[in-house]
Amino acid sequence: MASTTNPADARVVVIGAGIAGLAAAVLLAARGLDVTVLERAPAPGGKMREVPVGDARIDGGPTVFTMRWVFEELFAEAGASLDEHVGLRPVSVLARHAWGERERLDLFADIGASADAIGRFAGAAEARGYREFCERARKIYRTLEEPFIRAARPTPLSLAAGAGLRGLSDMWGVSPFATLWKELGKHFRDARLRQLFGRYATYCGSSPFQAPATLMLVAHVEQAGVWLVDGGMHRLALALAGLAEAKGARFRYGAGVREIEAQDGRVSGVVLRSGERIGAEAVIANADLEALAGGLLGAAAQGAVERPAAERSLSAMTWCLEARASGFPLARHTVFFSRDYEAEFRDIFGRGRLPSAPTVYVCAQDRNDAGAGPDGPERLLVLTNAPALGDRRAFTAEETASCERNSFDLLRRCGLQVERRPEATVLTTPLGFERLFPATGGALYGRALHGWASSFGRPGAATRLPGLYLAGGSVHPGPGVPMAAMSGRLAAAQLLGHLDSTARSRRTAMPGGMSTR
Ligand SMILES: Cc1cc2nc3c(=O)[nH]c(=O)nc-3n(C[C@H](O)[C@H](O)[C@H](O)COP(=O)(O)OP(=O)(O)OC[C@H]3O[C@@H](n4cnc5c(N)ncnc54)[C@H](O)[C@@H]3O)c2cc1C
C-alpha cells in the first residue's frame, strides 16, 4: 500500500487506549487525520483503570498526578482547555510517611514546611541536607527537561550538547554515574530519610540501590505540584477519550489486535483477533514494547523493534478494597516503610520473590488534602512492590497469603487497623497484570532504570518499519502518566513530520517513500 499524498487523508490506527495512545489520538484527530483507536479492554485508560469493588469504583493504577503542564499543553494543542475537561485541586500534603506508631513525617508542597517537619523529625542538619537536596533535584530537572524529556530520541552526546556547559556542570554535580542510594547518603545521615527519597526510584519501577542518581529529579517533579483529580484519576483517561472523539477519532473497545501487517516494506494495517482487517497508512502501538519484541503482534512488528536488554521493572500486588480504617491518621497518600530497605529489593530483583519485609503504599481515595474522610468504610488502594514474573509462574496461595500478612502486619505495627472483608477486596497479582498487559510479566514501568546508561536504552517513537511508531511507558521518555503522555505526543509529532515530508517529496517528484529513521 502506498502512503497517501495528503497527510490529512492518512488513516491511523492506534493500538491501545493507555495514556500515550490517548494523547496521540487526541493530537492526530485534532489535525484532521482519520484515527481509529483499538483497545482490547472494555474502557480507556490502560493502567489508569478503575476497579469495581461491590458498588464502589476504585482507582487501581496511578494515584499521584504530577507535571500538570504536560496535559495543559496537550489540551491546548488540540484547541481545548484542561481545566474545562478535568477538575484538578492542588494538595498541600504530598504524602505521609510512617516507620512505626510514633515515627511519622509529612512532606509538603511547600519546601519550607517540609524542612521544618524534617528538622523536628531528624534534626537541623537533616533539614539543611533536605534543602540542598531539593536544590540539586531542581537543577537536574531543569537540565533534563528540554534535551531529554521533550527530545525525540536523546543520546548521551545529544544530551551533553543540549544541556550546555552550565547544565553539564549541574549534572556532574549529582554524580551521574553514582546510584541514587549512594548520592542520597551525601545529603541525609538519617537512614529513614534516605529511604523516603530513595523510594522515588520505584516511580520508575526501579531499585534505589541500582538506579542512577539523576532520578532525584522525581523529588522536584513532586515539589512542583501534586494534584487530586475530581472523580479519580480514571476521569483523565475518559476526558482524553472524549476529546479525541469530539475531534473525530473512533474508539472500538473489546478490539484486541492480533497482527500489524506490512506490505512493500511499510505498514499496511492491522488484523483484529476476530479476523477483521483494518487498513492504515500508519500505526501507533501503545502496547508494551515487550509485546512487539516477543512477536505478539506478528513478525513485521517483531522485526521492527529491538528486544529490550535491561531487566524488567517492578510489578505489584495491589489490593483495591472498601474497608473501615482506624487507629492511624491516613493522609490521601501514605507510605509505610519496612526497617530493611535493601532486603526488599534483594528479594524482588535478586531472588525473584515477594518481599518478606515490604514497603506498603496506601491511597485513601475518599480523603481530602486535610486527611478528612468518611465515618464508615472507605475506598483504599494498598500496594506492595513485587517481581515481574507473571508470565513465568503464578505465586502459590501460601506465597500470596504470606505477602498479604506481611503487608497488613506492617500497617498494624504502625497503628492502622483495616477491617478487610473478602467480598469487598480485589487483589491483582503480577499474573493479573500480565493478563491485562501481555508479555510484560506484570512489569508496570517497562524496563528498570538500573545503571547510568539505562535511560538511553529505551527506544524512541520511530521503528525500523516505516509507518509503525511506538508510544507508552516502555519507550522514551519513560513511565508515569505525564511521561507516557509525552511519548504519545512525540509519536504523533514524528508521524506528522514523516507524512509532511512524504507529501513534500511527492510534490517535488523526488524519489523515496516515507522513512521512519
Ligand atoms: C498500580 C500502579 C500505580 C501507578 N502509580 C502511578 C502514579 O501514582 N503516578 C504516575 O504518574 N504513574 C503511575 N503508574 C504508572 C502509569 O500508570 C503508567 O506509566 C502509564 O499509565 C502507562 O501508560 P501507557 O501509555 O504506557 O499505556 P498502558 O497503561 O500500558 O496501556 C496500554 C493499553 O494498550 C492496550 N493493548 C495492549 N495490547 C493490545 C492489543 N494487542 N490490542 C488492543 N489493545 C492493546 C492495553 O489493554 C492497554 O489499555 C502506576 C501504574 C500502576 C499499574
Side-chain angles (χ1 to χ4, degrees), residues 99-407:
W99 287 263
E101 277 198 75
R102 277 181 203 82
E103 285 173 88
R104 284 182 207 150
L105 173 65
D106 285 359
L107 275 196
F108 299 92
D110 176 51
I111 289 185
S114 294
D116 289 348
I118 288 174
R120 287 192 298 276
F121 181 72
E126 299 298 294
R128 272 195 306 280
Y130 168 71
R131 283 188 184 275
E132 287 159 18
F133 165 72
C134 287
E135 182 51 21
R136 271 189 160 180
R138 188 186 67 80
K139 279 187 180 160
I140 288 296
Y141 178 82
R142 286 275 152 87
T143 307
L144 293 181
E145 185 185 312
E146 282 299 327
F148 188 82
I149 296 174
R150 287 179 185 269
R153 181 77 176 93
T155 62
L157 224 57
S158 70
L159 184 59
L165 273 182
R166 175 116 183 265
L168 273 182
S169 100
D170 287 345
M171 296 253 295
W172 203 250
V174 294
S175 318
F177 304 114
T179 64
L180 178 62
W181 188 255
K182 184 158 177 263
E183 198 64 12
L184 285 171
K186 292 184 182 164
H187 294 279
F188 304 108
R189 294 180 75 85
D190 190 307
R192 295 167 303 178
L193 295 175
R194 213 167 160 188
Q195 196 175 16
L196 191 164
F197 294 107
R199 183 174 165 271
Y200 286 138
T202 65
Y203 283 33
C204 301
S206 308
S207 158
F209 301 92
Q210 291 172 272
T214 38
L215 278 193
M216 58 174 70
L217 69 79
V218 178
H220 176 73
V221 164
E222 273 208 350
Q223 205 65 68
V226 171
W227 285 265
L228 299 180
V229 180
D230 286 347
M233 287 289 275
H234 185 64
R235 296 283 146 199
L236 181 63
L238 294 176
L240 282 168
L243 179 59
E245 267 176 326
K247 299 286 170 191
R250 284 178 299 278
F251 281 75
R252 290 178 58 180
Y253 296 105
V257 173
R258 191 176 72 200
E259 189 172 354
I260 296 170
E261 287 192 313
Q263 211 179 314
D264 301 330
R266 55 165 299 111
V267 156
S268 59
V270 299
V271 185
L272 299 186
R273 297 217 155 273
S274 61
E276 185 187 348
R277 279 199 153 70
I278 300 177
E281 282 70 46
V283 169
I284 294 185
N286 182 209
D288 198 280
L289 178 62
E290 287 214 47
L292 282 86
L296 256 60
L297 288 163
Q302 188 173 25
V305 299
E306 290 292 337
R307 184 174 270 282
E311 67 187 311
R312 282 175 174 166
S313 61
L314 293 168
S315 186
M317 301 281 277
T318 61
W319 293 267
C320 289
L321 61 155
E322 223 190 357
R324 262 174 216 283
S326 60
F328 180 101
L330 279 174
R332 177 68 168 235
H333 306 286
T334 308
V335 184
F336 297 87
F337 280 109
S338 67
R339 289 285 164 186
D340 186 350
Y341 212 30
E342 209 163 354
E344 175 172 349
F345 294 96
R346 220 173 23 242
D347 274 345
I348 295 174
F349 286 109
R351 300 189 173 128
R353 287 192 201 153
L354 291 167
S356 53
T359 295
V360 181
Y361 164 71
V362 178
C363 178
Q365 301 183 8
D366 294 312
R367 305 236 171 186
N368 63 18
D369 189 28
D375 264 347
E378 59 183 303
R379 295 175 305 151
L380 302 173
L381 167 70
V382 177
L383 183 153
T384 293
N385 295 323
L389 297 172
D391 54 343
R392 285 176 218 157
R393 69 186 193 91
F395 292 114
T396 63
E398 178 44 42
E399 285 173 305
T400 303
S402 150
C403 177
E404 187 162 333
R405 222 173 18 250
N406 291 333
S407 301

Side-chain angles (χ1 to χ4, degrees), residues 15-16 18-20 38-40 46-47 61-64 257 286-287 472-473 480-481:
I15 304 174
I19 205 73
L38 302 169
E39 168 56 60
R40 64 200 282 276
K47 295 183 179 79
T63 52
V64 181
V257 173
N286 182 209
V481 170

Side-chain angles (χ1 to χ4, degrees), residues 22-23 25-31 44 71-82 84-86 235-251 253:
L22 290 169
V26 163
L27 294 175
L28 295 173
R31 287 285 294 265
F71 292 93
E72 278 169 352
E73 289 184 8
L74 185 64
F75 276 75
E77 268 179 63
S81 143
L82 174 65
E84 280 170 20
H85 286 79
V86 185
R235 296 283 146 199
L236 181 63
L238 294 176
L240 282 168
L243 179 59
E245 267 176 326
K247 299 286 170 191
R250 284 178 299 278
F251 281 75
Y253 296 105

Side-chain angles (χ1 to χ4, degrees), residues 14-98:
V14 179
I15 304 174
I19 205 73
L22 290 169
V26 163
L27 294 175
L28 295 173
R31 287 285 294 265
L33 273 67
D34 178 335
V35 177
T36 304
V37 182
L38 302 169
E39 168 56 60
R40 64 200 282 276
K47 295 183 179 79
M48 194 188 265
R49 69 196 175 113
E50 235 177 20
V51 177
V53 178
D55 291 337
R57 303 190 74 79
I58 300 183
D59 269 332
T63 52
V64 181
F65 181 77
T66 56
M67 294 173 80
R68 173 195 172 119
W69 61 266
V70 170
F71 292 93
E72 278 169 352
E73 289 184 8
L74 185 64
F75 276 75
E77 268 179 63
S81 143
L82 174 65
D83 285 339
E84 280 170 20
H85 286 79
V86 185
L88 293 174
R89 281 168 296 128
V91 299
S92 60
V93 179
L94 297 182
R96 181 156 296 157
H97 307 85

Side-chain angles (χ1 to χ4, degrees), residues 494-505:
Q494 293 217 14
L495 188 157
L496 287 167
H498 290 153
L499 283 176
D500 276 347
S501 66
T502 306
R504 262 199 315 277
S505 66

